[in-house]
Amino acid sequence: MNENLPPCPKCSCEYTYEMNALVVCPECGHEWVPAVSDAEGRGDSGEQAVKDAVGNVLSDGDTVTVVKALKVKGSPSGIKAGTKVRNIRLIDGVDGHDIDCKIDGFGAMQLKSSVVKKA
């Protein structure tokens, strides 16, 4: 075993192993790329930096613009490209939905950071 591998960031298991470019935890199944989590993607607080479709770093309270039309379940019309969303909140969402917000005419919803750009 390689002694230089970091412990799992989720469960702190020390028995991690490499699989191609990933490091894998055998106890919880968490997979991550050690180079991204150690250097580039972390801010001062140690959290993952959330970037928009253009590459700008987003933070809580930012105003963003939707860059492509989105379909919304249960709504005859979706969210049009160019819609401004104010006062976003960053979360650890499911399936890449990492922005929690309220959109006028639709209410509270979660968006992916890859479909918005910082205004």
Side-chain angles (χ1 to χ4, degrees):
M1 290 190 143
N2 189 354
E3 299 295 325
N4 297 332
L5 293 176
C8 177
K10 292 232 177 188
C11 69
S12 301
C13 173
E14 59 187 30
Y15 301 111
T16 57
Y17 62 92
E18 285 183 303
M19 184 170 63
N20 298 328
L22 298 174
V23 177
V24 181
C25 175
E27 289 185 6
C28 70
H30 180 65
E31 300 176 346
W32 73 99
V33 179
V36 171
S37 64
D38 290 343
E40 177 185 319
R42 295 196 175 258
D44 296 328
S45 62
E47 294 179 3
Q48 184 73 15
V50 177
K51 295 184 179 182
D52 66 1
V54 184
N56 299 323
V57 177
L58 298 173
S59 60
D60 286 344
D62 281 346
T63 298
V64 295
T65 304
V66 178
V67 294
K68 70 178 200 175
L70 303 173
K71 294 180 182 177
V72 178
K73 271 189 186 177
S75 173
S77 64
I79 299 170
K80 295 180 182 177
T83 302
K84 279 199 173 192
V85 181
R86 292 177 181 84
N87 199 16
I88 65 169
R89 192 173 57 129
L90 302 178
I91 58 169
D92 282 336
V94 180
D95 294 333
H97 293 83
D98 45 10
I99 297 175
D100 194 24
C101 61
K102 287 185 182 177
I103 299 176
D104 293 337
F106 289 96
M109 54 181 10
Q110 293 181 353
L111 298 172
K112 292 183 179 183
S113 60
S114 60
V115 298
V116 299
K117 81 174 176 180
K118 197 170 186 175

